[in-house]
Every structure is written in C-alpha cells, then in structure tokens.
Amino acid sequence: MRIARFTTGDDPRYALVQQEGDRTYLAVLTGDPLYMPVTPTGERVELGDGVRLLAPVIPRSKIVAVGRNYADHAKEMGNDVPSSPLLFLKPNTSVVGPDDPIVLPDFSQEVSYEAELAVVIGRLAKDVTPEAASAYVLGYTVANDVTARDAQRTDGQWARAKGFDSSCPLGPWIDTDLDPEDVGVRSRVNGETKQDGRTSDMVFDIPFLVSYVSEAMTLLPGDVILTGTPAGVGLIDVGDRVDCEVEGIGVLSNPVVRRS
C-alpha cells in the first residue's frame, strides 16, 4: 500500500496510490491514515496537471536522524564509524515535499545532498525491542538530509547545518509494504548519478535504530527516522535538480534555489 498526501488547490488530502498502465491515480481517503482507518471515499484523482504531491507526512513531534550510518560515507567525510548510533534532530519546519525548492540558506556556501531511506512511525513507541520494532512502523519514504557543510564544521553541533528551512525533503509517498533490509539508495544531480548504496550496508539496521531511539525518547505517530546516507555526497548550487531514489518506493525530486 502506498499512501500519498496531495492537494488540488484546497486543503491537503490523503490517498492510496494506484498504478494502471502508465497512469497513476490517487484514491482519496476519508482522513489521515495515521489516526483513522484507511477508508477510501470512492473519489479518484489522476495524478497530473492540477494535482500537487505534498510531503507524505509532517511530523507533529520530531525527525530523528542518524549520522555516519554507512561506513563508506563516514570514511569519505574523514570520520570513524561510531560505536553507537549518532543521533540528531531536525525540526518539522525543515520538511518540504516533492518538487518543492531546496532554498540555500544565506549563511552557507557549501550545501550538500544526502539521499536516505526514511522510517515513518505509526504508533507510540517507547522502549521497544528490535524484534518488535516493525510493529511500530507505518512505512517508509525517501528523504534528502540537506546539509550546510560549512556550518556543520564551524558550529560544533548540527542544529543549524541540518535544520534550516527546506533541509528535509520527503516523498513522494509512504510505502507500507517495503522490505527495507536490502534496497538501493541513490541520488542524482542534474541526471548524473552521485550515490549508489544499499541499506544492507548500514552500520545499524532499522529494527535496532527504532529500538535505540525509543529508549531515549518516546516516538509518536508521524515521527520520522532518517537512517543515514551512503558515500557520494557532494555540493549543490542554484539551478540544480536533486533526485533521491529508494528502490521499491520511487524518486523524490527537488530544484535548488536561493532567495534573492
């Protein structure tokens, strides 16, 4: 099951994504599937002109991200692999959706992309075991953990570097049936492949991460965990388009701009 959040110019709505040949339809739901049963209204909207996909979830509480969770990425950044998950938070104001612009912040001249698999929490989770973790997951989506590298180096902590507005594109939808153990995680800038890794290369797998995070803080429905990025990160600039892809989910694409 794929769950999208969309608008046709009015209030955001939720829908099931249905593929028929080369056409994609949105089967509209009665409400937010995080808090209501998945119940179609009977209305269907074809994805196309006049339909805008939104970030499939806006966390009401938090985005918990994991740094250096791929050994090759830690190495390329000149860091050791952490002995336990390296956690940081991104605010919900950092979230944008498919085709929304990544707005380069005035305080940075070195902004980078990071394609990631994102975990969407489906119900309250506290002190869950790795064995039980999947029961607390609604599904998975694609993320781009956009990072101001110069601020990351100078600040000594990552709140500004990774929490600025538009630094967390999510989308295009949530896939509830994905097996995340070994899927491709890729990025392209202007059509050129930059990252090409697999989730099987994670230092800490998803069940462990959900458990580890839940020991420290209660996870609420709609919270998102970003699971780290493979090697190949690099800088983006005005006019670029960044495509982040997770095998089995789809492509999240965003243009890059800077406010004048």
Side-chain angles (χ1 to χ4, degrees), residues 70-84:
Y70 287 76
D72 56 357
H73 172 59
K75 182 179 179 180
E76 76 174 345
M77 301 304 291
N79 299 303
D80 294 330
V81 174
S83 58
S84 58

Side-chain angles (χ1 to χ4, degrees), residues 28-50:
V28 181
L29 301 177
T30 55
D32 187 341
L34 276 167
Y35 301 98
M36 301 176 62
V38 175
T39 306
T41 64
E43 179 185 0
R44 289 209 315 167
V45 179
E46 185 173 358
L47 186 59
D49 290 344

Side-chain angles (χ1 to χ4, degrees), residues 145-161:
D145 179 20
V146 184
T147 304
R149 295 292 179 203
D150 40 6
Q152 187 181 27
R153 288 194 304 270
T154 60
D155 285 7
Q157 51 78 40
W158 299 355
R160 189 170 68 125

